[in-house]
């Protein structure tokens, strides 16, 4: 896949590593010559110094043949304009972070897949991990995240059926019970203390999912 990554901050740099390791042909764009030079020392990519809202910069990056463009800068105006241009060049998959939630509608109008406020998402995840030693991430996949959480003795949902749980934008995939039994959950399965529950949540709903899981499956002292 031919992937263009705009912005070489923490997210963009990590995304570059992931894309290169996945075997993509990667082009990175950043206004900082130092960042562009640094990424070249570590990854086999084409690095361009410039403003991605400039058509000539995108053309130098090979926008006409790009399969995907991901905008990761801290400036929503730059991300939005870059994505709009990518759409004009008929890039098949255009993705962006949105730093301020109130700008989300603008990106949706352009038809861009978005990840809202990544700093807030990470902070939320860290908070709930710190709050619950029973919660851990198993895998991150396109569009979502898989978690495991252990049901506490005395938690609100314990001894209740799954259908009694407030569920929105996440699903129970499996339950591993004491003794090694693996249960494919249905609405009538009752949660027991010590159940290890595997959950899939949409990426954009991760914060609310973590809040709900902690509220329902962790005992409140």
């Amino acid at each position: 896949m031919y992937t263009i990554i705009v912005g070489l901050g923490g997210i963009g740099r990590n995304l570059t590593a992931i894309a290169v390791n996945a075997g993509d042909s990667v082009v990175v764009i950043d206004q900082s010559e130092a960042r562009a030079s640094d990424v070249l020392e570590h990854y086999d990519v084409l690095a361009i110094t410039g403003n991605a809202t400039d058509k000539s910069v995108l053309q130098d990056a090979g926008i006409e043949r790009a399969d995907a463009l991901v905008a990761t800068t801290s400036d929503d105006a730059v991300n939005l304009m870059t994505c709009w241009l990518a759409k004009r060049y008929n890039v098949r998959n255009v993705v962006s972070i949105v730093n301020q939630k109130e700008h989300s509608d603008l990106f949706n109008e352009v038809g861009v897949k978005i990840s809202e406020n990544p700093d807030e998402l990470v902070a939320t995840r860290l908070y709930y991990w710190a709050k619950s030693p029973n919660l851990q991430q198993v895998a991150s996949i396109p569009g979502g995240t898989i978690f495991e959480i252990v049901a506490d003795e005395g938690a609100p949902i314990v001894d209740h059926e799954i259908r009694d749980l407030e569920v929105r934008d996440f699903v129970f995939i499996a339950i591993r019970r004491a003794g090694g039994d693996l249960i494919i959950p249905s609405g009538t399965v009752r949660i027991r203390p010590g159940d290890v529950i595997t959950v899939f949540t949409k990426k954009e709903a991760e914060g609310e999912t973590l809040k709900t899981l902690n509220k329902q499956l962790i005992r409140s002292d």
Side-chain angles (χ1 to χ4, degrees):
M1 187 168 77
Y2 193 99
T3 304
I4 297 175
I5 298 170
V6 179
L8 285 172
I11 294 173
R13 188 178 176 87
N14 280 285
L15 181 59
T16 298
I18 292 169
V20 168
N21 290 335
D24 290 2
S25 296
V26 179
V27 181
V28 296
I29 302 173
D30 196 278
Q31 296 191 60
S32 166
E33 185 173 349
R35 284 183 174 180
S37 297
D38 182 66
V39 81
L40 282 173
E41 294 181 7
H42 296 87
Y43 304 106
D44 183 15
V45 299
L46 172 62
I48 297 174
T49 302
N51 190 328
T53 64
D54 186 333
K55 286 185 179 180
S56 64
V57 171
L58 290 177
Q59 289 169 351
D60 288 343
I63 190 71
E64 298 92 343
R65 61 182 185 278
D67 298 300
L69 179 141
V70 186
T72 72
T73 81
S74 59
D75 188 329
D76 283 344
V78 170
N79 292 339
L80 182 61
M81 184 62 182
T82 301
C83 291
W84 181 80
L85 288 171
K87 285 287 188 178
R88 293 289 298 271
Y89 281 100
N90 296 315
V91 177
R92 186 176 64 209
N93 199 7
V94 181
V95 183
S96 181
I97 65 169
V98 179
N99 298 283
Q100 298 183 49
K101 289 182 178 180
E102 58 266 29
H103 296 158
S104 297
D105 288 345
L106 297 172
F107 286 83
N108 289 327
E109 288 176 12
V110 177
V112 177
K113 295 179 182 177
I114 62 173
S115 174
E116 291 183 349
N117 202 331
D119 289 339
E120 181 180 332
L121 178 61
V122 171
T124 300
R125 182 187 296 177
L126 291 173
Y127 172 76
Y128 283 110
W129 282 354
K131 189 174 182 179
S132 173
N134 296 344
L135 178 69
Q136 63 176 332
Q137 180 178 332
V138 175
S140 181
I141 61 178
T145 308
I146 298 175
F147 292 98
E148 281 189 347
I149 185 167
V150 181
D152 273 348
E153 176 80 48
I157 197 61
V158 165
D159 295 326
H160 289 265
E161 295 180 347
I162 290 175
R163 61 187 174 187
D164 295 332
L165 177 65
E166 296 177 10
V167 176
R168 183 177 179 182
D169 292 327
F170 69 90
V171 295
F172 284 8
I173 299 174
I175 298 174
R176 191 168 70 252
R177 188 153 284 172
D181 292 338
L182 186 65
I183 300 170
I184 304 301
S186 66
T188 58
V189 171
R190 288 184 179 273
I191 302 297
R192 296 179 182 172
D195 280 353
V196 181
I197 302 168
T198 305
V199 180
F200 169 80
T201 179
K202 294 179 181 179
K203 187 72 72 176
E204 62 270 20
E206 185 178 305
E208 190 62 31
T209 296
L210 293 176
K211 180 179 178 180
T212 299
L213 292 175
N214 274 272
K215 179 181 177 182
Q216 296 292 325
L217 291 166
I218 305 302
R219 183 181 66 251
S220 178
D221 296 325

